[in-house]
């Protein structure tokens, strides 16, 4: 890219954000000082200073890539975010809306009128517009739809018809096709007619007159082969293709496994209808990873860190309510052994260790299983093998770490039976954590639910209550 518009690295991103925040803070400070001063032409001075700071800010934004502007917008409180958003050139609105998180996009769209939204949407390709469409008002989509050509309307209908997380939802329609009976010289002359090739074009797609995909022509073959050779002689007929109904996760795995830059998408009749590129796959993987992290923590969706209190409460309340119930259960377990704790105060000091290590072990297990499910490594019949393996891991860890904790308890409190109870309780709680860590995500998947949702909340609840019950129960049986 040119110097005027380029991708920023991590340090540059922080520099951009810091500079924008400094300019915004300076503007607020000057406005405050001018308001306090009694001077002639008060409004004129204030207006000039205001324009000066906004001009500096606008100049910086014009040099930034849309993705970098999106980063800055996400890091600003709502009032400052809207100031910056108003300074962005209108023709860049669509690209920036695609880059920001869903939560921040909602706040920006709510600030725009219908004409601005239509203008932003009209600047996008059909596949990009399909990504943005769910967040746009119905009348805006209708207005944009009317402005599209017949081909673009069909592409938009197709893109919006595919379910989320399918290949169809991440494919684009911008690609170069050629015939197999033309020479490479003709193909090269054809390519020179383009102002620029579609992003991430590493191969051309060879189709017949019915648009059926016959092969692919990598650019490196095109460039090094004899120009008089026909396309059919150098094209590859052994290639990876996708169907729009395929899972996007499967496509992502194929891109990773075969180091793909692009892959064709064909319909049931093997007609070429689009392509998937590595940039959309990377975006999909990142979004899935973020969604999984949020789900494990019991969050419904990505949250704007500067969202209103009420919006944040709505996003978090469900699993907090579940956590409250499980915490109450854990407290009742402890309450049932009050007499034992009164007789041996050491139990109160040691029982959080058993519960805490069990929770950590369970979270390790559930993270591994959820990841394996996500990349297709776990089949429904694998539960027994996984359980057997994780139980063996838990037994070894229990004997090693439980034994060390048992020795520590014996040394601190001078009681060998207490040390043995500590070792047994640790081992049993690790076994519980292993069984739960394997079973929870696999059972949720079998029931058609997201295996990642609330995993850490559930595992912590089980290992807390179970750890307290096991440790205090064993102590009551063997120490009282």
């Amino acid at each position: 890219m040119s110097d005027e518009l380029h991708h920023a690295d991590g340090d540059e991103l922080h520099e951009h954000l810091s500079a924008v925040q400094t300019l915004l803070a300076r503007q607020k400070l000057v406005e405050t000082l001018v308001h306090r001063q009694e001077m002639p032409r008060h409004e004129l001075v204030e207006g000039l200073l205001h324009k000066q700071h906004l001009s500096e800010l606008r100049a910086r934004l014009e040099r930034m890539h849309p993705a970098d502007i999106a980063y800055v917008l996400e890091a600003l409180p709502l009032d400052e975010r809207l100031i910056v958003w108003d300074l962005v050139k209108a023709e860049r609105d669509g690209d920036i809306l695609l880059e920001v998180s869903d939560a921040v996009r909602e706040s920006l769209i709510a600030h725009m009128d219908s004409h601005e939204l239509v203008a932003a949407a009209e600047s996008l390709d059909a596949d990009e517009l399909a990504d943005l469409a769910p967040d746009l008002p119905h009348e805006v989509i209708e207005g944009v739809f009317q402005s599209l050509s017949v081909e673009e309307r069909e592409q938009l209908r197709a893109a919006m018809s595919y379910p989320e997380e399918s290949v169809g939802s991440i494919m684009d329609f911008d690609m170069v096709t050629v015939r197999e009976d033309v020479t490479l010289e003709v193909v090269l002359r054809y390519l020179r007619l383009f102002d620029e090739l579609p992003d991430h074009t590493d191969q051309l797609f060879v189709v017949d007159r019915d648009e059926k995909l016959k092969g692919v022509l990598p650019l490196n073959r095109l460039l090094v082969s004899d120009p008089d050779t026909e396309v059919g002689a150098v094209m590859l007929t052994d290639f990876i293709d996708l169907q729009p109904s395929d899972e996007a996760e499967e496509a992502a795995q194929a891109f990773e496994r075969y180091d793909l830059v692009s892959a064709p998408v064909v319909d049931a009749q093997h007609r070429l209808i689009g392509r998937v590129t590595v940039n959309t796959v990377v975006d999909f993987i990142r979004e899935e990873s973020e969604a999984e992290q949020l789900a494990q923590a019991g969050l419904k969706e990505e949250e704007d860190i500067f969202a209103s209190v009420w919006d944040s409460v709505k996003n978090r309340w469900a699993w907090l309510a579940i956590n409250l119930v499980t915490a109450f259960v854990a407290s009742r377990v402890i309450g049932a052994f009050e007499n034992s704790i009164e007789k041996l105060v050491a139990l109160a000091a040691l029982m959080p260790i058993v519960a805490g290590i069990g929770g950590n072990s369970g979270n390790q297990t559930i993270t591994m299983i959820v990841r394996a499910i996500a990349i297709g490594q776990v089949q429904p019949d694998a539960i027994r093998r996984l359980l057997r393996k994780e139980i063996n891991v838990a037994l070894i860890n229990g004997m090693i770490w439980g034994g060390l904790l048992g020795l520590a308890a014996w040394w601190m409190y001078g009681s060998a039976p207490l040390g043995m109870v500590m070792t047994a309780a640790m081992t049993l709680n690790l076994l519980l954590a292993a069984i739960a860590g394997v079973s929870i995500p696999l059972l949720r998947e079998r029931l058609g639910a997201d295996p990642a949702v609330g995993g850490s909340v559930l595992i912590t609840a089980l290992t807390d209550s179970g750890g307290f019950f096991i440790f205090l129960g064993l102590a009551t049986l063997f120490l009282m």
Side-chain angles (χ1 to χ4, degrees), residues 127-170:
D127 56 292
E128 296 173 327
L129 183 54
D131 292 335
L132 194 58
D135 297 316
L136 296 176
H138 179 71
E139 63 272 14
V140 171
I141 293 296
E142 285 295 320
V144 174
F145 195 77
Q146 297 303 320
S147 68
L148 299 177
S149 66
V150 174
E151 181 183 6
E152 289 173 328
R153 289 182 188 181
E154 289 305 313
Q155 289 177 346
L156 180 57
R157 279 199 190 99
M160 294 179 66
S161 68
Y162 299 117
E164 251 187 285
E165 301 185 359
S166 68
V167 165
S169 69
I170 63 171

Side-chain angles (χ1 to χ4, degrees), residues 169-212:
S169 69
I170 63 171
M171 75 175 179
D172 70 58
F173 305 97
D174 199 8
M175 55 194 169
V176 182
T177 60
V178 294
R179 299 276 191 264
E180 63 180 318
D181 56 355
V182 300
T183 65
L184 299 183
E185 174 63 31
V186 172
V187 174
L188 287 167
R189 288 204 304 268
Y190 170 57
L191 293 181
R192 292 190 192 103
L193 298 175
F194 288 80
D195 293 329
E196 59 180 358
L197 292 177
D199 289 340
H200 301 90
T201 296
D202 66 318
Q203 58 188 355
L204 311 181
F205 301 114
V206 185
V207 296
D208 63 17
R209 297 187 182 280
D210 296 322
E211 295 299 313
K212 290 186 177 180

Side-chain angles (χ1 to χ4, degrees), residues 357 391-407 419-420 422-431:
I357 293 182
I391 285 172
N392 287 331
V393 170
L395 283 171
I396 293 171
N397 279 330
M399 286 186 289
I400 293 173
W401 301 110
L404 288 174
L405 283 169
L407 289 172
M420 295 176 64
M422 189 73 179
T423 301
M426 179 68 72
T427 303
L428 290 173
N429 201 30
L430 288 176
L431 286 171

